[in-house]
Amino acid sequence: MRLSEKKKLGLVLSGGGIKAAAFHLGVCLALREKGFSFAGGSKEDVAKNNPDDKMTFKTYVGSSAGSFLTSLLAAGHSVESIIDAFERGAKSDLTKFSKKKSVATRLKPITYRDIFAVNGVSFLDSLPSLLRRKSLVTGGLEAFLKNGFKLNGLFTTKNIERYMRTNIPKDDFASLGVENYVVATQLNHSRKVVFGPFPETYKVKNIKYANFASISQAVAASTALPPFYAPYGIKNQKGKELYFFDGEIRETLSTHVAADAGADLVIASYSVQPYHYTPVMGSLHNYGIPMIINQALYQVIQQKIEKHIDHQQQIAAIMSAVDGYFRQQGLPEEHREKLLEILTKRVNYKPGVDYIYIHPSPNDYEMFFVDHFSLNAEILGRIVHIGFKAGIHALRKYDL
């Protein structure tokens, strides 16, 4: 595969808090080092600044923290301006990996105030109500929590929505000169929701494609990670308020969204990497419950990602085997084409689409141990470096 021969590029960024955002920024710097560029802004801006589609991302898919970055890129903000927003001052060393040392940014610094807005629900209102009404469920601790602890999240993502709305010139998917898709999960349902510039008639089984949210609302919905953030409500076309939360509850990587949009090269970045023993850090059993729980969650997420990738590879192998068998046996061409057409539709196979996955190495134990929501400049600088290194490593085997 030659990267420069691909006609439509899709960038897919997963979630994982500020740590994931820093990793993705490093990956973006590596992509640019390889010759890629990021289109964004209004239709006029994209046509003016990106006349050539070669090696240019014009399709973005983001979940949770990834949606925060992809939406800023789609709005026309450069990688440098986003890094600068995370810097929060001149002391940060994040820009040492950047080609451009001076940045005239339109983004205001990203602070803890933008990320954490205390939930407006009174804490007293969340205290157990078992004494005031009959319990719906009898039992022990679980019943106590279900019936009494009604706080739906410690924080809300309303400040994230405000930050995005303030820093996106036109807070509307349809106004962009690129395709931007934000993935969320509907709270009172069992389906994934993809926000974007879709016609109302656009439908796919088990997935809701929605066009009733602004970009900032969609990002606020996608980043609402339970139990830390309360589900985010958005009114649909009929005025009914629907609630959404984290975009990766049902599926960790939504590479299919980029492929469904016509991308023939999909590059996906994810930051989850379970800890592998190193003499420097020792065994996790010495670090207590939080790290052990973190490892368990990472292992579950990694398994989902590996199954996702393995499924793609198996489908491609099956299609290739069927095609090869018909040709080898000299069977009628029309039957070969018809069977491949049927299989392609049944499994939603996209022939000609290549995927590149970028993730940390197991040796990068810092990716596991550092806090997910730290704005410490030194820590973020190291994570950006890890993302840059991972991106360069994943891309080195591909020719331009």
Side-chain angles (χ1 to χ4, degrees):
M1 174 181 62
R2 297 186 67 88
L3 299 176
S4 59
E5 294 178 354
K6 289 297 180 177
K7 297 178 181 179
K8 186 174 181 179
L9 279 56
L11 179 66
V12 180
L13 302 183
S14 70
I18 298 172
K19 179 167 64 175
F23 179 83
H24 296 326
L25 286 170
V27 169
C28 287
L29 292 175
L31 288 169
R32 200 179 55 193
E33 186 76 16
K34 188 71 174 181
F36 291 94
S37 60
F38 305 90
S42 66
K43 294 177 174 61
E44 294 75 14
D45 290 338
V46 172
K48 178 182 177 181
N49 300 325
N50 303 93
D52 186 7
D53 289 343
K54 187 177 179 180
M55 300 282 285
T56 301
F57 289 102
K58 291 187 176 181
T59 301
Y60 300 96
V61 180
S63 297
S64 195
S67 71
F68 185 90
L69 293 186
T70 54
S71 294
L72 289 176
L73 290 171
H77 294 290
S78 67
V79 177
E80 283 84 9
S81 68
I82 302 173
I83 290 178
D84 182 69
F86 275 105
E87 280 188 288
R88 302 182 62 220
K91 293 183 179 180
S92 173
D93 62 352
L94 289 181
T95 54
K96 68 181 181 181
F97 303 104
S98 173
K99 290 182 177 179
K100 300 177 182 178
K101 297 299 181 183
S102 60
V103 182
T105 178
R106 295 174 292 169
L107 286 169
K108 76 178 187 69
I110 300 170
T111 67
Y112 286 117
R113 185 184 296 270
D114 298 309
I115 299 168
F116 297 108
V118 177
N119 195 344
V121 178
S122 170
F123 181 74
L124 292 177
D125 291 341
S126 70
L127 292 177
S129 57
L130 296 175
L131 299 177
R132 299 197 304 269
R133 60 183 177 82
K134 185 177 179 180
S135 175
L136 296 176
V137 182
T138 59
L141 178 61
E142 183 179 358
F144 175 82
L145 293 174
K146 284 181 178 179
N147 287 289
F149 199 71
K150 297 300 182 181
L151 189 66
N152 58 11
L154 299 175
F155 307 97
T156 76
T157 54
K158 66 179 184 180
N159 283 4
I160 294 177
E161 188 280 330
R162 182 172 60 188
Y163 182 91
M164 298 301 293
R165 176 165 35 89
T166 303
N167 289 282
I168 296 177
K170 291 185 179 181
D171 191 14
D172 176 32
F173 286 99
S175 68
L176 298 175
V178 297
E179 295 172 272
N180 182 35
Y181 303 101
V182 174
V183 182
T185 305
Q186 191 168 336
L187 176 64
N188 297 308
H189 208 285
S190 59
R191 63 188 174 194
K192 177 168 73 175
V193 178
V194 181
F195 292 103
F198 303 105
E200 292 188 20
T201 55
Y202 192 91
K203 292 183 179 180
V204 175
K205 185 179 180 181
N206 297 326
I207 301 175
K208 181 176 179 61
Y209 286 84
N211 62 1
F212 52 78
S214 65
I215 299 172
S216 61
Q217 289 175 329
V219 172
S222 183
T223 54
L225 172 66
F228 304 105
Y229 291 101
Y232 190 84
I234 303 175
K235 291 185 178 180
N236 63 12
Q237 297 96 328
K238 298 180 180 179
K240 180 181 179 181
E241 189 170 32
L242 303 178
Y243 288 90
F244 305 90
F245 56 179
D246 189 275
E248 300 197 326
I249 297 295
R250 287 188 61 84
E251 187 174 15
T252 305
L253 288 176
S254 292
T255 53
H256 73 90
V257 177
D260 290 344
D264 59 354
L265 174 61
V266 180
I267 298 182
S269 172
Y270 63 93
S271 63
V272 170
Q273 173 59 56
Y275 173 71
H276 288 204
Y277 178 87
T278 63
V280 175
M281 301 305 295
S283 173
L284 286 180
H285 87 274
N286 296 320
Y287 288 88
I289 293 176
M291 286 301 176
I292 295 173
I293 292 177
N294 200 38
Q295 176 77 337
L297 291 174
Y298 274 29
Q299 289 174 343
V300 170
I301 294 172
Q302 185 192 44
Q303 182 188 39
K304 290 173 64 177
I305 293 174
E306 288 178 346
K307 284 186 176 181
H308 168 86
I309 297 173
D310 185 60
H311 176 73
Q312 287 180 333
Q313 294 174 342
Q314 285 187 12
I315 293 299
I318 291 172
M319 300 296 287
S320 178
V322 171
D323 181 62
Y325 179 79
F326 267 77
R327 292 180 185 277
Q328 187 179 41
Q329 298 299 319
L331 298 174
E333 182 73 10
E334 61 272 20
H335 294 315
R336 181 185 68 85
E337 292 180 353
K338 186 62 179 178
L339 179 58
L340 289 176
E341 179 184 351
I342 293 172
L343 292 175
T344 296
K345 291 181 178 179
R346 288 287 181 90
V347 299
N348 194 30
Y349 175 66
K350 297 292 187 300
V353 180
D354 289 300
Y355 300 87
I356 298 176
Y357 294 93
I358 303 175
H359 58 89
S361 164
N363 296 325
D364 295 321
Y365 56 83
E366 280 185 292
M367 282 298 300
F368 179 83
F369 282 96
V370 301
D371 185 62
H372 289 84
F373 294 98
S374 173
L375 283 175
N376 180 283
E378 183 180 352
I379 292 176
L380 290 179
R382 294 202 300 267
I383 300 304
V384 169
H385 177 75
I386 291 173
F388 180 81
K389 183 175 64 175
I392 292 296
H393 176 76
L395 295 168
R396 66 177 48 176
K397 59 184 176 181
Y398 298 101
D399 298 324
L400 293 178

